[in-house]
Amino acid sequence: MNCEFFPFGKKKGMSEGTGDVFLNIQDHGSSGSKGNEEHKMMKWTLIFIESTAFLCIMGLLITTLTVDRFQNSRIWDFEMWKWCFLILAVLCGRLIGYLLTQAPVKLIWKFCSRRHWIERALYFAYGVKKSIIVFIWVALVLLAWALLFDRGVKRSEEVRKTLNDVTRGLVGSLIGVAIWSVKTLLVKLVASFHVKTLFQRIKEANYNRKILEAVSKKEEVEQDTRRELLNAIRGEKLPTLGFFVDGKYKEINIEDDHVEEAKEVANEIFKKLVGPNYNGEKYVDLRILLNCVKDKEQCPDCQLVKKKKCHQCEVIKETREYFEAVAEDKCTGREQNNQSEFRKWVNELVNGEPAEAAADKAAHGDKQIKKSVFRNWVVKVFKGYVSVNSALKYRKTAVDELNKLASVVVLFVIIIVWLLFMEILTTKIVVFMTSQLLLVVFMFGNAAKTVFEAIIFVFVMHPFDVGDRCLVDGIQMVVDEMEILTTTFLRFDNARIFYPNSILSTKYICNFYRSPPMMDTVEFAIDLQTPDDVITKLQNIIKRYLKSNPRRWRPDHSLQFKEIENMNKMKVILYFNHTINFQDIIKKGKRRSELVLHMRIIFDVLGIKYKLLPQQVDLNYNGSMATAIPPPSR
């Protein structure tokens, strides 16, 4: 299995210093792709230069050790082989460090690529890889410098002082790089508390992309190679979302959240699924879709996961269950969101048509998927891709801010340590500077506490991601941006609201995106004199209606008679369960509105009405206006 690794320079879409995961999802023809090509060209050019220098210096080193003429050659009283070793460490130390770090990563990838912990291991490996390479580089230079000089040789005071200063500088630099590596590892550790969920979202988006491509080709889903996820860990990009038309791959623009384009893509794929004789059909055979998402009994990943399926097989299973749940029978399927059709359906139930016979027809009929249902599934895949992109984008911003804060502190410590090794600073000066820090703590202590609480909230608690709909202080808002100190929300009227993260950490937050399918209620009142058989029919029709719409509602519900008021009406409340959570509040509102309209039709067909109590009316006769006017005189 071929894998490419990119050790040098700043990766496109990768936070500097931390190597944090960030997928820059974009078109292949965009400027970001050109930047990647330029970056790769510079990387391979640098590798070629360092490799050429390595071969030349190694050839010279071998020559100085084997040829008699060069064995006793000296430059400034030092043997030639020592100079070769020093130049080799200076010019090619980074290449040697890269090769030394590349070997264990290659071994991990080769033997453990299917293990469940491989993503997290490579996440940390690539995070500290640059720092380890620099550490090995500086260590090789220090080793070569130490081997350059023979001990016991008498030197002048000035030369000895210069040599000691260089040695102390190299040791201080090595310790500084070690401290910087520890800082990078700690930043990665803090940012990794929710990285497992992040990887699951990446994998789910990638698997749905593969399913979409397979459906567009009318072929079975291919086994995932984890290449895309590992590219994400290396700082590469998730493959572009697209589909196949006439054997050619066509990309979907997801940069500007073009939902309409996703709907057009769904229509094109639907035409291909129906066949060349497409003539405006609204249904496609369920078996065509199920053949593309076959549920495999075992795959390489499932064999490593005991007593459960791997994540890819779980996504395929969920997709199959979704298609099977929303499939409609060709003979009995009806547009129940059409009011007239729904009224006919209710009348048939009221008039006593055997529902069991209709159910048997539906069970033995040919199942089909409606065009609008398939389009909604494609839009869902599209929105999932965009959501992952946004979450990674603003996660990168928060990690970068954390890395900058840590870098400032660590850089100050490294400078102090290096100056101590160089004996520029004395212990007394350091003690004096430390005492002055008490004043700084007094001035900025509350600010430091706020920053610490914000870091814990963003990286440890992490109650939401960008794009999640949340309930804060009784107001539903969508997370727009996440930073270290503040989080920006968008209210229903697109008003931008800023919350300090230290304040958010003390509030109750309801996250709709992370919630399972949610419950809703509808309250209404019926007349107290409603016959028992009508109430029984009402219960049965509601039960049949929810059961016949598995795409919108779950069958479990509860119709409760809450209380009697004024001896003329009963308050009734219907508890029902959506098949979605309330992340998409518009879809939730439309479904509830359809349910209310259908309830109105049910009440009309069953004759359920609400009557006011008889009201006592007192009429008092005070005489007419005619008697109040005197008759005219004659």
Side-chain angles (χ1 to χ4, degrees):
M1 187 173 296
N2 296 326
C3 296
E4 295 182 271
F5 297 88
F6 306 93
F8 303 114
K10 182 181 177 181
K11 301 179 180 67
K12 184 68 177 177
M14 182 172 179
S15 63
E16 185 177 3
T18 62
D20 196 58
V21 176
F22 170 56
L23 310 186
N24 187 15
I25 305 176
Q26 55 192 355
D27 293 338
H28 291 299
S30 62
S31 60
S33 179
K34 295 179 180 178
N36 284 336
E37 293 297 330
E38 294 176 358
H39 168 70
K40 291 180 180 179
M41 182 65 67
M42 293 178 60
K43 177 201 68 172
W44 289 114
T45 301
L46 183 59
I47 291 178
F48 175 76
I49 293 174
E50 290 184 335
S51 301
T52 303
F54 180 81
L55 293 176
C56 293
I57 297 172
M58 285 299 295
L60 182 59
L61 178 61
I62 295 173
T63 301
T64 57
L65 294 175
T66 57
V67 179
D68 295 338
R69 182 179 175 182
F70 295 101
Q71 285 181 350
N72 297 324
S73 299
R74 290 175 174 267
I75 299 177
W76 293 343
D77 293 334
F78 296 111
E79 293 87 346
M80 283 286 294
W81 69 270
K82 292 183 177 181
W83 285 109
C84 291
F85 189 73
L86 179 61
I87 296 172
L88 182 68
V90 173
L91 297 182
C92 305
R94 185 168 63 169
L95 179 62
I96 297 173
Y98 164 65
L99 295 175
L100 292 177
T101 55
Q102 189 74 346
V105 174
K106 284 269 191 177
L107 292 175
I108 292 175
W109 165 255
K110 183 176 181 179
F111 296 105
C112 306
S113 61
R114 292 286 174 184
R115 299 294 179 179
H116 65 280
W117 46 264
I118 185 67
E119 299 97 352
R120 195 176 184 91
L122 292 181
Y123 175 79
F124 285 103
Y126 283 103
V128 299
K129 186 176 180 180
K130 287 184 179 180
S131 300
I132 298 300
I133 290 174
V134 176
F135 180 84
I136 295 174
W137 186 12
V138 177
L140 289 175
V141 173
L142 178 61
L143 179 62
W145 177 260
L147 293 176
L148 187 64
F149 305 101
D150 295 327
R151 294 185 178 181
V153 178
K154 294 183 178 180
R155 300 181 179 91
S156 63
E157 186 67 25
E158 183 179 355
V159 172
R160 187 167 59 252
K161 184 178 183 302
T162 303
L163 295 178
N164 290 336
D165 289 342
V166 175
T167 303
R168 283 195 295 266
L170 290 174
V171 173
S173 300
L174 184 63
I175 295 177
V177 173
I179 296 174
W180 189 269
S181 301
V182 173
K183 182 271 302 181
T184 304
L185 181 61
L186 291 178
V187 170
K188 296 290 290 184
L189 183 63
V190 171
S192 68
F193 281 99
H194 61 284
V195 75
K196 183 178 180 181
T197 304
L198 176 67
F199 289 155
Q200 289 179 350
R201 293 186 64 184
I202 295 173
K203 288 189 284 188
E204 183 175 356
N206 185 49
Y207 297 153
N208 284 325
R209 174 190 63 82
K210 285 182 172 291
I211 294 174
L212 179 62
E213 292 179 358
V215 170
S216 66
K217 294 188 296 183
K218 299 179 71 171
E219 297 178 358
E220 188 176 352
V221 180
E222 298 177 356
Q223 180 67 29
D224 181 59
T225 61
R226 292 200 176 185
R227 175 75 59 84
E228 294 84 2
L229 180 61
L230 297 179
N231 283 341
I233 300 175
R234 293 203 301 266
E236 289 295 289
K237 61 181 180 181
L238 203 65
T240 307
L241 184 64
F243 64 105
F244 287 88
V245 177
D246 298 330
K248 296 181 180 179
Y249 187 77
K250 188 176 180 181
E251 299 174 357
I252 304 176
N253 181 15
I254 66 172
E255 290 299 312
D256 300 322
D257 196 5
H258 291 160
V259 177
E260 294 301 325
E261 183 176 352
K263 293 181 179 179
E264 294 176 0
V265 169
N267 293 334
E268 292 186 30
I269 298 176
F270 188 84
K271 292 178 182 178
K272 184 176 180 180
L273 292 175
V274 173
N277 298 324
Y278 176 78
N279 190 23
E281 286 85 356
K282 292 185 178 181
Y283 290 89
V284 65
D285 194 344
L286 174 64
R287 290 171 294 184
I288 297 177
L289 294 174
L290 295 183
N291 288 335
C292 298
V293 286
K294 291 183 178 180
D295 192 6
K296 298 181 180 179
E297 295 182 359
Q298 281 190 344
C299 71
D301 287 347
C302 292
Q303 296 175 0
L304 299 175
V305 184
K306 296 181 179 179
K307 298 182 180 180
K308 62 179 181 179
K309 292 190 175 184
C310 65
H311 196 78
Q312 179 182 4
C313 293
E314 284 290 342
V315 174
I316 293 176
K317 181 181 177 182
E318 291 175 1
T319 305
R320 285 182 61 89
E321 291 177 350
Y322 172 80
F323 286 145
E324 291 172 350
V326 300
E328 300 178 9
D329 183 72
K330 184 177 180 180
C331 300
T332 61
R334 287 183 174 176
E335 296 280 348
Q336 290 197 355
N337 56 343
N338 186 301
Q339 303 299 314
S340 59
E341 289 292 333
F342 182 75
R343 185 180 292 273
K344 291 180 181 178
W345 181 78
V346 175
N347 280 319
E348 290 175 358
L349 290 180
V350 173
N351 294 332
E353 178 178 306
E356 289 76 8
D360 290 339
K361 289 181 183 179
H364 295 90
D366 293 333
K367 295 290 184 178
Q368 296 190 1
I369 296 293
K370 190 180 176 184
K371 183 178 181 180
S372 61
V373 175
F374 179 77
R375 183 169 58 241
N376 291 338
W377 175 75
V378 175
V379 171
K380 178 183 176 182
V381 173
F382 172 81
K383 288 184 175 180
Y385 234 70
V386 175
S387 175
V388 172
N389 184 34
S390 300
L392 291 171
K393 177 181 178 181
Y394 289 103
R395 182 182 184 277
K396 171 187 176 294
T397 301
V399 173
D400 280 348
E401 291 180 353
L402 175 62
N403 183 54
K404 290 177 182 178
L405 291 173
S407 298
V408 171
V409 177
V410 171
L411 189 60
F412 177 77
V413 174
I414 290 175
I415 292 174
I416 296 298
V417 172
W418 191 82
L419 291 177
L420 283 174
F421 267 90
M422 295 299 296
E423 296 183 352
I424 298 175
L425 287 181
T426 61
T427 308
K428 293 182 180 180
I429 297 177
V430 173
V431 172
F432 174 75
M433 293 176 60
T434 306
S435 63
Q436 300 304 308
L437 289 176
L438 296 176
L439 179 61
V440 177
V441 171
F442 178 77
M443 295 174 60
F444 301 102
N446 290 333
K449 178 183 177 183
T450 301
V451 171
F452 179 76
E453 291 176 350
I455 291 173
I456 296 298
F457 176 79
V458 172
F459 294 105
V460 180
M461 298 174 64
H462 196 71
F464 45 69
D465 290 298
V466 173
D468 291 1
R469 180 175 296 277
C470 300
L471 183 67
V472 183
D473 289 337
I475 304 174
Q476 288 192 24
M477 297 178 290
V478 177
V479 182
D480 186 49
E481 294 180 4
M482 282 184 66
E483 297 179 351
I484 289 291
L485 297 178
T486 60
T487 298
T488 306
F489 294 92
L490 285 179
R491 206 168 54 187
F492 62 91
D493 55 355
N494 280 341
R496 197 177 296 272
I497 302 176
F498 297 87
Y499 267 97
N501 289 332
S502 58
I503 301 298
L504 279 176
S505 63
T506 63
K507 293 182 177 293
Y508 293 102
I509 299 175
C510 174
N511 190 326
F512 290 118
Y513 181 81
R514 299 184 184 180
S515 301
M518 299 177 68
M519 178 181 287
D520 206 347
T521 60
V522 170
E523 293 189 22
F524 55 92
I526 63 175
D527 193 90
L528 185 62
Q529 305 301 324
T530 303
D532 294 341
D533 60 332
V534 174
I535 294 178
T536 302
K537 289 181 180 180
L538 174 64
Q539 293 173 331
N540 291 333
I541 292 176
I542 291 176
K543 180 180 179 180
R544 299 287 181 92
Y545 167 67
L546 296 177
K547 191 175 181 179
S548 64
N549 286 270
R551 182 159 57 96
R552 292 182 175 88
W553 319 113
R554 299 173 66 183
D556 47 324
H557 69 286
S558 177
L559 185 66
Q560 298 183 8
F561 297 88
K562 192 173 181 181
E563 59 185 12
I564 298 176
E565 286 189 0
N566 300 326
M567 296 302 295
N568 71 319
K569 64 179 179 181
M570 286 190 300
K571 277 192 174 182
V572 186
I573 182 168
L574 173 62
Y575 295 92
F576 57 96
N577 292 280
H578 292 259
T579 55
I580 60 173
N581 55 36
F582 297 165
Q583 168 69 16
D584 192 343
I585 197 66
I586 297 178
K587 179 184 288 187
K588 175 257 182 183
K590 287 182 178 180
R591 292 186 175 187
R592 189 180 187 279
S593 178
E594 290 178 3
L595 177 64
V596 172
L597 291 176
H598 290 164
M599 293 292 293
R600 180 188 67 85
I601 293 175
I602 294 173
F603 296 152
D604 189 22
V605 173
L606 294 177
I608 298 177
K609 298 180 180 179
Y610 166 66
K611 299 177 182 178
L612 291 173
L613 285 173
Q615 303 292 324
Q616 181 178 355
V617 180
D618 294 330
L619 298 176
N620 296 322
Y621 177 74
N622 294 324
S624 64
M625 294 295 295
T627 57
I629 300 176
S633 59
R634 294 181 179 179

